[in-house]
Amino acid sequence: HSNREMWFQDLFPPNTCPINAKTKTFYGIMFDAGSTGTRIHIYTFVQKSPEILPELEGEIFESVKPGLSAYADQPEKGAESVKRLLDMAIDAVPPHLWKKTPVVLKATAGLRLLSEEKAQALLSEVKEVFEESPFLVPEDSVSIMDGSYEGILAWITVNFLTGQLSGQNQHTVGTLDLGGASTQITFLPRFEETLKESPTDFLTSFEMFNSTYKLYTHSYLGFGLKAARLATLGALNTEDRQMFRSSCLPKQLEAEWHFGGVKYRYGGNKEGETGFKPCYLEVLKVVKGKLHQPDEIRGSSFYAFSYYYDRAADTNLIDYEQGGVLEVRDFERKAKEVCDNMERFSSASPFLCMDLTYITALLKEGFGFRDNTLLQLTKKVNNIETSWTLGATFHLLQSLGITY
Ligand SMILES: Nc1nc2c(ncn2[C@@H]2O[C@H](COP(=O)(O)OP(=O)(O)O)[C@@H](O)[C@H]2O)c(=O)[nH]1
Ligand SMILES: [Ca+2]
């Protein structure tokens, strides 16, 4: 819509070009209501002309625990946790831009797993908090996000931040996100076979920055790290409140754990086996045959974040600040080390062995990656969080006509 302003562009040297004086600065506020926490991302963008992608100037990021789903029976308290984060945006965005700055919350797997009624109560309390704020509240500003968008938008984020969405010669990278309750895999298929052999609902066309991307993506609900703990313990979908035991936990352990508003009792195999081998067999039951395995990913490398990153950092496989490159087999090696020496790691989370073993099984037996598949573990690129929230903000600004 700004093409009319372009005629004079060639007449002026770039630094005196009037269009530069028209550089747009804008903000976007995106909430990630995840299963384990709620986070606010306040983005600042500048865009110098319609031909180039908006530049991301910075991000303000803050988070609170627990997630909204933990307030299933107290929706007002859940909304209060959102309000406290939103107050940060009042300070971060200049007052004259409040009315033009959209605020949106998207909930993921935690709310997907609640009853419709409880989820809606939470969402409408949050909507009220938004309506009372000075920001722009678009239609559908508070919702549960479809799982396929979660993967696509994270893919957009990572590929935007690594510069793969601008210019020619785009070498996009696939992404792996491991949340608390669900996990996503997304990549741009290069092989005709992948397009032919994938279930149709795993393939989605998505338009962004004037390009159309046909992506392979799927969100596996119940395969996030914390949901997988419950599945391994056999505690999913059961009303039974017994003690759940596993060979992946320290022998003498007996404890309680809260997830999604439910209390679970769990412990080690007092008399029976413990260690990597029996643990791997337990975890295998959770993943084996449950996931689609596209052939073409076996040899390619992926960006991995969220709990892949956290557990790799917890065990010094990568530096907590820098991230790093790993092979799938590094997770297996670390799982063996932890599971076969649980006393040595007892000061860490009692679930460390189970988590690392699950990650190993998910990658190898779930998705079908090779032992030597490379994983680029990343938390931030150029100081911006690798989260679907950036992709979602681009999508939002585009739909509101705020970006070109
Ligand atoms: N890199 C990155 N990781 C995040 C961000 N927000 C949450 N996470 C990670 O996401 C994981 C928790 O998943 P969560 O979003 O609560 O569960 P989900 O609803 O199943 O996706 C943890 O490993 C967090 O560290 C973020 O902004 N950047
Ligand atoms: Ca998440």
Side-chain angles (χ1 to χ4, degrees):
H1 34 121
S2 290
N3 282 343
R4 264 175 297 124
E5 294 167 11
M6 301 311 295
W7 60 268
F8 48 70
Q9 219 186 2
D10 291 333
L11 304 176
F12 295 87
N15 52 348
T16 62
C17 177
I19 201 157
N20 287 342
K22 288 213 159 189
T23 293
K24 271 190 168 191
T25 298
F26 43 91
Y27 292 79
I29 307 169
M30 185 63 61
F31 278 90
D32 167 7
S35 66
T36 69
T38 303
R39 305 116 199 168
I40 187 172
H41 300 253
I42 306 165
Y43 297 107
T44 314
F45 303 92
V46 291
Q47 191 168 18
K48 298 197 171 111
S49 76
E51 292 75 48
I52 54 174
L53 299 186
E55 279 173 45
L56 181 54
E57 270 218 327
E59 173 190 38
I60 294 173
F61 172 70
E62 192 54 70
S63 62
V64 291
K65 283 182 179 173
L68 272 188
S69 46
Y71 300 99
D73 297 315
Q74 311 151 276
E76 300 95 349
K77 272 192 90 179
E80 247 171 63
S81 70
V82 171
K83 168 122 186 12
R84 277 194 297 277
L85 289 172
L86 189 56
D87 284 341
M88 290 184 57
I90 304 266
D91 296 327
V93 179
H96 74 282
L97 289 176
W98 285 349
K99 268 199 179 61
K100 290 183 174 176
T101 301
V103 57
V104 163
L105 176 142
K106 292 183 187 297
T108 54
L111 257 67
R112 281 180 210 135
L113 290 170
L114 288 185
S115 71
E116 168 91 26
E117 196 186 347
K118 292 191 173 182
Q120 282 310 322
L122 280 162
L123 297 178
S124 71
E125 290 291 336
V126 171
K127 182 87 191 248
E128 254 176 59
V129 167
F130 283 7
E131 303 273 337
E132 285 161 12
S133 82
F135 299 109
L136 173 65
V137 184
E139 240 181 277
D140 271 341
S141 60
V142 181
S143 63
I144 298 177
M145 179 167 45
D146 187 276
S148 64
Y149 275 98
E150 205 174 343
I152 293 170
L153 295 170
W155 184 92
I156 294 279
T157 297
V158 168
N159 285 286
F160 172 85
L161 291 175
T162 55
Q164 301 307 323
L165 299 186
S166 51
Q168 253 102 67
N169 257 332
Q170 302 182 348
H171 287 289
T172 61
V173 290
T175 53
L176 296 169
D177 185 352
L178 180 58
S182 73
T183 188
Q184 289 77 239
I185 176 171
T186 309
F187 64 95
L188 184 78
R190 275 172 257 261
F191 295 175
E192 194 59 37
E193 270 161 60
T194 307
L195 299 175
K196 275 206 304 248
E197 284 164 16
S198 301
T200 50
D201 62 330
F202 281 52
L203 299 169
T204 320
S205 283
F206 192 75
E207 212 170 302
M208 182 62 84
F209 306 130
N210 297 321
S211 299
T212 303
Y213 299 97
K214 186 154 197 186
L215 299 178
Y216 175 106
T217 189
H218 194 73
S219 177
Y220 292 93
L221 188 58
F223 287 79
L225 191 69
K226 303 215 162 168
R229 289 178 183 175
L230 294 179
T232 304
L233 289 167
L236 263 190
N237 308 322
T238 151
E239 292 296 298
D240 211 350
R241 289 289 156 256
Q242 71 194 72
M243 169 77 84
F244 297 102
R245 296 190 178 276
S246 165
S247 63
C248 308
L249 294 168
K251 256 189 195 319
Q252 301 304 327
L253 176 82
E254 288 193 352
E256 280 178 0
W257 187 48
H258 295 257
F259 188 68
V262 182
K263 187 174 83 179
Y264 300 91
R265 293 170 61 228
Y266 63 92
N269 267 350
K270 263 205 177 72
E271 259 94 72
E273 285 185 297
T274 26
F276 179 76
K277 260 200 179 147
C279 176
Y280 197 75
L281 291 177
E282 263 183 58
V283 167
L284 214 49
K285 289 187 208 136
V286 177
V287 293
K288 192 131 188 125
K290 305 274 176 62
L291 289 85
H292 180 248
Q293 302 189 338
D295 273 341
E296 87 163 79
I297 65 168
R298 293 171 56 76
S300 46
S301 61
F302 272 70
Y303 269 62
F305 33 89
S306 44
Y307 278 124
Y308 293 112
Y309 190 100
D310 298 348
R311 288 301 168 269
D314 292 345
T315 54
N316 295 319
L317 281 170
I318 55 167
D319 178 84
Y320 185 77
E321 296 297 328
Q322 307 291 314
V325 180
L326 294 180
E327 291 181 349
V328 166
R329 65 170 134 240
D330 293 322
F331 276 112
E332 178 161 1
R333 181 172 48 79
K334 191 56 87 170
K336 282 179 180 155
E337 187 187 328
V338 171
C339 294
D340 292 339
N341 301 278
M342 276 200 251
E343 341 60 69
R344 257 214 290 134
F345 293 89
S346 58
S347 60
S349 157
F351 283 106
L352 192 56
C353 157
M354 190 186 285
D355 289 353
L356 289 166
T357 305
Y358 174 66
I359 287 174
T360 304
L362 178 67
L363 291 170
K364 290 178 55 165
E365 310 288 339
F367 296 125
F369 285 114
R370 287 204 291 248
D371 281 329
N372 64 350
T373 298
L374 292 178
L375 304 173
Q376 172 74 52
L377 281 291
T378 321
K379 193 176 193 61
K380 292 186 178 205
V381 179
N382 300 330
N383 222 23
I384 306 292
E385 298 282 330
T386 51
S387 160
W388 56 260
T389 49
L390 177 60
T393 305
F394 280 130
H395 190 59
L396 170 69
L397 294 171
Q398 207 167 282
S399 72
L400 291 172
I402 291 174
T403 173
Y404 294 104

